[in-house]
Amino acid sequence: MKIHFITGATGFVGKYLAKALLERGENVWVIVRPLNDASAQIRAKEMFRDYLSTWPNTFRVIDGDIMIENLGVADSIFKESKKHEVIFWHLAANLSFASENRADVQKTNYTGTVNVVNFANRVADKFMHMSTAYVCGNASSFSETELYKDQKFRNHYEKSKFEAEKYVRETCKLPHTIFRPSVIIGDAYSGKAEGCTFGYYRYAFMFHFLKKQIIKVLQKNGKAALCLKFMGTKYNPEEDTLMAPWLIIPCPKNGRVDLVTVDYVVKSMIGLYEKNLQSVTVHLTHDNPPAFRFLLHAVLYDLGFRKMKLFSVPVWIFRATVACFYFLALPLRKYVKSVMWYVPYFTEPCEFERTTIENYLENPPEISRELIARINAYAKENILDHIEI
């Protein structure tokens, strides 16, 4: 019997991967840790209720924790897995860019990977590791075979994922594939991005929050509301649109955002697993990343802003504007800081070599206006109100 072990199955991509494998008739065992006084099984009943009912014979929740040697997996599970062909998918990661979370990021992304690789070496037949395209750091170009390029890392997330990938390359004794996705967004066809509150969605939240605050001011009918109305601000509750002709937003010239949809990432991961490639690294990035200006206009329009204006500026002016906003917007400083973490990802684009995808699989779907509309509609309905400052 073939078994797919998955870490990080409670996360955004992990849930999609588990479901995709189950739909193919595969046996999927997910390693889940206890959290906040809730056991792994209690968490699983909440997070995987549909999976447990739909695939009761092929989906299994295993108590474990990648922070523990041998992953805290019971000896009986270890012995049972040794009798079968095991494909190990390691997706668990800490995505925080915050400097105060460095220790936790390092522990999850590096120490966790060390524990997982050592465990997989003992029980598995193949190893699939989720890295990130941004192990490239500030490099302007990066090949799939490269890992060291004198790059400087822009946050500890990048550094920890670099170190984890290095450990996999040097220590994994199994045939393995390393996946390096860029910025992952929701499903290309439904827009669904269950459980995703980072990256693209974090940036969109800034304008969602701004709109809500303006509406609150207008509803109070105070002096600030009179000033906004004088500048042409109008809110239409029936259409949920906000006229804001005074809203002028700078965009970095030539800024691009390397987005890929979660369904494409998962489909590619499974497709490459089936190719039986030996010890390869794959860039799951876009062949034609969309312009930042295009995405920003789409986000603003889909969130209900009207009559706003965008203008292109050199990158250094854009960065200076964001920095000024950070110092002036005192009540929102913590949130603006978290948005600033993403600025390098659209002002310092990297050219990623994509040889493996071009040789074996299809390019990702175009990031069209219709696709982004679906992404934004799902975010507005299901995600943005759940992001905290």
Side-chain angles (χ1 to χ4, degrees):
M1 182 172 76
K2 184 186 297 181
I3 299 169
H4 294 267
F5 264 96
I6 304 177
T7 70
T10 58
F12 176 38
V13 180
K15 288 191 77 172
Y16 273 85
L17 174 64
K19 185 177 181 181
L21 290 170
L22 288 163
E23 288 175 339
R24 293 159 51 89
E26 304 280 6
N27 295 286
V28 175
W29 293 8
V30 299
I31 298 176
V32 178
R33 62 174 174 150
L35 185 67
N36 298 331
D37 298 324
S39 70
Q41 298 302 321
I42 289 176
R43 291 184 68 206
K45 287 179 181 178
E46 178 64 28
M47 301 189 74
F48 297 109
R49 182 177 289 111
D50 293 342
Y51 294 30
L52 290 164
S53 61
T54 305
W55 299 285
N57 299 319
T58 56
F59 181 71
R60 185 172 176 181
V61 176
I62 306 299
D63 292 67
D65 189 339
I66 67 169
M67 295 294 99
I68 303 173
E69 191 174 350
N70 291 325
L71 311 188
V73 172
D75 288 341
S76 59
I77 300 296
F78 178 81
K79 291 176 182 177
E80 184 179 354
S81 64
K82 290 281 286 183
K83 300 175 183 177
H84 306 290
E85 179 185 357
V86 173
I87 315 301
F88 206 109
W89 302 79
H90 178 41
L91 277 68
N94 186 322
L95 306 178
S96 176
F97 289 179
S99 57
E100 60 267 26
N101 295 333
R102 285 173 62 100
D104 289 338
V105 170
Q106 179 71 13
K107 187 175 180 182
T108 301
N109 296 350
Y110 178 71
T111 306
T113 298
V114 169
N115 291 334
V116 167
V117 170
N118 293 344
F119 180 83
N121 279 339
R122 297 173 62 198
V123 303
D125 298 275
K126 289 183 181 179
F127 188 71
M128 307 289 161
H129 176 68
M130 178 67 88
S131 183
T132 173
Y134 299 106
V135 294
C136 69
N138 67 345
S140 59
S141 63
F142 215 60
S143 74
E144 293 178 320
T145 57
E146 285 179 313
L147 183 59
Y148 312 94
K149 202 174 182 179
D150 294 325
Q151 67 266 48
K152 293 181 180 179
F153 300 109
R154 296 167 290 200
N155 50 66
H156 198 71
Y157 167 74
E158 291 182 353
K159 186 173 185 292
S160 67
K161 294 296 284 184
F162 166 88
E163 292 172 350
E165 184 176 323
K166 179 175 181 289
Y167 190 85
V168 173
R169 287 176 171 230
E170 295 177 352
T171 313
C172 185
K173 300 174 183 177
L174 310 169
H176 61 270
T177 302
I178 297 171
F179 304 106
R180 290 179 179 169
S182 52
V183 180
I184 304 176
I185 56 174
D187 185 276
Y189 304 99
S190 68
K192 189 174 182 180
E194 184 178 351
C196 186
T197 58
F198 48 86
Y200 174 86
Y201 301 94
R202 191 81 182 164
Y203 207 85
F205 171 77
M206 177 171 64
F207 300 104
H208 174 73
F209 182 81
L210 175 63
K211 179 187 170 188
K212 289 176 66 176
Q213 296 308 303
I214 293 172
I215 292 170
K216 283 182 181 179
V217 171
L218 291 174
Q219 290 173 340
K220 288 181 179 178
N221 285 318
K223 292 181 179 179
L226 290 174
C227 182
L228 285 173
K229 290 176 181 178
F230 178 76
M231 293 189 294
T233 312
K234 295 179 181 179
Y235 176 60
N236 183 335
E238 293 182 1
E239 298 181 359
D240 193 27
T241 55
L242 182 70
M243 291 283 188
W246 49 269
L247 184 59
I248 303 173
I249 303 175
C251 295
K253 283 183 179 178
N254 305 317
R256 290 191 170 272
V257 189
D258 200 321
L259 302 178
V260 284
T261 61
V262 66
D263 53 304
Y264 170 77
V265 169
V266 169
K267 180 181 178 181
S268 298
M269 290 169 69
I270 294 175
L272 291 164
Y273 147 71
E274 292 179 328
K275 297 293 181 183
N276 291 314
L277 303 179
Q278 299 294 310
S279 303
V280 297
T281 300
V282 184
H283 281 146
L284 299 178
T285 57
H286 209 285
D287 57 316
N288 184 28
F292 176 79
R293 184 186 180 107
F294 160 77
L295 290 173
L296 181 56
H297 185 274
V299 167
L300 288 165
Y301 189 89
D302 292 345
L303 291 181
F305 283 94
R306 299 292 184 268
K307 298 289 180 89
M308 66 286 174
K309 299 178 179 65
L310 307 181
F311 68 101
S312 297
V313 297
V315 169
W316 70 269
I317 293 180
F318 178 80
R319 288 177 178 163
T321 303
V322 174
C324 288
F325 185 63
Y326 168 74
F327 285 107
L328 293 173
L330 187 60
L332 303 177
R333 183 167 292 177
K334 182 179 179 181
Y335 178 73
V336 175
K337 182 179 180 181
S338 73
V339 171
M340 291 172 68
W341 295 330
Y342 296 102
V343 170
Y345 297 99
F346 54 83
T347 59
E348 302 171 14
C350 180
E351 291 290 332
F352 295 106
E353 180 214 354
R354 305 176 64 258
T355 301
T356 305
I357 288 295
E358 289 169 354
N359 286 344
Y360 294 101
L361 297 175
E362 299 176 354
N363 282 326
E366 177 192 0
I367 307 298
S368 65
R369 183 64 183 90
E370 292 75 20
L371 187 155
I372 287 297
R374 290 192 291 272
I375 296 294
N376 291 339
Y378 182 88
K380 186 177 178 181
E381 187 71 24
N382 301 280
I383 296 177
L384 301 181
D385 282 328
H386 300 287
I387 296 178
E388 297 180 356
I389 294 179

